[in-house]
Amino acid sequence: MAEVVMKDVTKIFDKGVVAVKDANIKVKDEEFMVLVGPSGCGKSTTLRMIAGLEEPTSGEVYIDRKMVNNVPPKDRDIAMVFQNYALYPHMTVYENMAFGLKLRRFPKLEIQQRVREAADILGIQGLLDRRPKALSGGQRQRVAVGRAIVRKPKVFLFDEPLSNLDAKLRVQMRTEISKLHNRLKATMVYVTHDQVEAMTMGDRIVVMKDGIIHQIDGPMGLYNHPVNKFVAGFIGSPTMNFFDGQIVDHIFKADGISVAIPEEFWERLSGRSKVILGIRPENICDARFADRITHRAKVLAEVEVSELMGHEILLYLHSGSLPFVARMDVKVDARVGDKLNLVFDMGKAHFFDPETEETL
């Protein structure tokens, strides 16, 4: 397999629309790299520039240490799996998977061997004689992945491959693709708008917004050490709670909330009056069950909505005029209108500059 490198890559479309700006990415050999961000952030354009389906306006793209800016897609030794499967409806599964190899004039026996090997890996041996219209969405996606596997490319590219599947199938295929990566030891670049997919699948994650890369890190690095408010809010579900407020004598104050700031943050926040406090829903708990929290900050809040998720409960609350979300154990018996004594785990709090939104 091979590494993929993008150096200062920019893509500008007609009328000066900047889709990607100064992208610098290095995907290591055998790494599973995920590009994630909201719709229109430039992640698919970035993938298409790696594939050769879009030409960079400036910058350089390397695959296996070879600059490929002027190399056509068919000669880049990559395989791409699309959102809409892109299967030929008049061909059988076998013919769809074998088609690319036939174009490259592979021997018939080798084609048969590669197709059946890929079918075994994906568990679609019994589907080889069917046509796409006779397959479910999950089966079609397996065929699309199988068509990529038979190529044995240097790099696999996935462009939101699971977005057309229902929730249960998405979880199943997510696991299958991760297992496939571990089995093939392949270099994979995967695009998604779903941060849960990114967090569960990626060795490292590229977080993008408005064509700009905001942070590249492992899942837990992004979760625990976001570089700005956007990354902090995008990674994690439900999203992080944010409170605009002021610092007075090491106390963070906002409408309805007054919490002590742990000493470990004092130096970072020295001289600042206005900040944004960020706290994740899972770092808020009922005061009755907060024994293990060291840096406690008590907040009185009223329940507006209670969502029982089976293994946990999501509470949508407000304190003063400030709404926020808490994720709690189902043993917390909370109903709409109840007032709860909550504890914020301030040891896991985040603080952001209200103007730049950078992490402090």
Side-chain angles (χ1 to χ4, degrees):
M1 295 299 168
E3 67 178 21
V4 176
V5 177
M6 303 185 82
K7 292 184 178 180
D8 301 318
V9 172
T10 293
K11 177 63 178 179
I12 303 175
F13 287 110
D14 294 340
K15 299 181 180 180
V17 176
V18 180
V20 178
K21 183 178 181 181
D22 298 330
N24 286 282
I25 301 172
K26 181 176 181 179
V27 186
K28 301 172 187 175
D29 185 29
E30 299 185 4
E31 185 174 29
F32 196 122
M33 178 73 86
V34 178
L35 309 183
V36 68
S39 297
C41 71
K43 55 190 183 295
S44 288
T45 300
T46 301
L47 193 78
R48 290 171 66 84
M49 286 191 286
I50 296 172
L53 301 176
E54 296 285 356
E55 184 178 345
T57 304
S58 62
E60 300 170 347
V61 180
Y62 293 84
I63 297 177
D64 197 15
R65 300 182 182 179
K66 176 185 177 183
M67 193 171 81
V68 294
N69 287 46
N70 299 316
V71 177
K74 65 183 181 64
D75 298 326
R76 294 194 181 194
D77 201 5
I78 55 95
M80 193 160 180
V81 179
F82 296 92
Q83 175 181 344
N84 61 358
Y85 320 132
L87 302 177
Y88 295 107
H90 62 287
M91 293 183 181
T92 64
V93 167
Y94 180 93
E95 291 166 341
N96 266 284
M97 293 173 65
F99 186 68
L101 300 180
K102 287 182 179 178
L103 288 181
R104 290 166 178 77
R105 302 185 182 280
F106 276 73
K108 187 175 181 180
L109 286 178
E110 185 173 355
I111 292 174
Q112 290 177 350
Q113 179 183 349
R114 288 196 182 197
V115 170
R116 298 197 181 281
E117 184 179 279
D120 287 343
I121 291 173
L122 295 165
I124 55 173
Q125 308 94 320
L127 307 177
L128 294 177
D129 294 328
R130 296 189 191 179
R131 286 186 167 79
K133 66 179 181 181
L135 305 178
S136 67
Q139 290 170 334
R140 291 180 192 180
Q141 194 55 274
R142 280 189 171 86
V143 175
V145 173
R147 185 176 53 192
I149 291 174
V150 297
R151 295 269 310 280
K152 296 185 178 179
K154 289 180 179 177
V155 180
F156 287 84
L157 306 177
F158 295 86
D159 190 6
E160 304 213 38
L162 310 184
S163 59
N164 286 340
L165 304 181
D166 62 42
K168 184 178 179 181
L169 266 179
R170 275 203 305 273
V171 173
Q172 184 179 344
M173 283 302 298
R174 198 165 73 205
T175 304
E176 291 298 324
I177 292 174
S178 294
K179 286 164 59 178
L180 183 66
H181 173 253
N182 293 331
R183 180 166 179 172
L184 298 179
K185 300 297 182 185
T187 303
M188 293 185 174
V189 185
Y190 186 103
V191 163
T192 180
H193 63 274
D194 186 337
Q195 58 92 15
V196 175
E197 276 184 30
M199 290 288 285
T200 54
M201 298 176 74
D203 295 324
R204 287 190 300 149
I205 302 168
V206 180
V207 184
M208 299 184 69
K209 180 188 179 187
D210 299 331
I212 297 172
I213 294 173
H214 284 251
Q215 189 171 354
I216 302 177
D217 206 340
M220 294 314 296
L222 293 175
Y223 183 84
N224 291 320
H225 307 288
V227 297
N228 56 34
K229 183 183 174 185
F230 167 71
V231 176
F234 193 83
I235 299 297
S237 180
T239 187
M240 182 183 288
N241 299 294
F242 297 106
F243 306 98
D244 291 292
Q246 295 181 318
I247 297 176
V248 181
D249 295 331
H250 304 308
I251 303 292
F252 174 84
K253 294 187 176 184
D255 184 23
I257 291 178
S258 179
V259 293
I261 298 172
E263 188 174 349
E264 63 199 70
F265 291 102
W266 290 0
E267 185 176 342
R268 274 183 266 173
L269 301 177
S270 177
R272 291 184 174 273
S273 57
K274 294 184 178 181
V275 297
I276 299 172
L277 165 66
I279 189 102
R280 295 197 181 278
E282 49 270 37
N283 298 139
I284 302 173
C285 68
D286 190 302
R288 294 170 295 174
F289 309 107
D291 296 339
R292 289 181 292 179
I293 295 178
T294 304
H295 298 292
R296 302 184 182 195
K298 292 186 178 180
V299 175
L300 179 65
E302 182 175 335
V303 179
E304 292 184 324
V305 177
S306 174
E307 292 182 347
L308 181 61
M309 310 294 288
H311 64 294
E312 63 185 12
I313 186 169
L314 296 181
L315 298 180
Y316 295 80
L317 313 110
H318 71 268
S319 181
S321 63
L322 300 178
F324 60 96
V325 185
R327 171 187 273 135
M328 299 193 184
D329 193 279
V330 290
K331 63 187 175 184
V332 177
D333 183 20
R335 301 180 183 182
V336 175
D338 287 353
K339 288 186 169 65
L340 298 180
N341 286 307
L342 303 177
V343 169
F344 284 13
D345 186 350
M346 293 299 290
K348 296 180 180 177
H350 300 262
F351 291 92
F352 307 92
D353 187 297
E355 294 183 2
T356 66
E357 297 191 346
E358 298 294 313
T359 298
L360 298 173

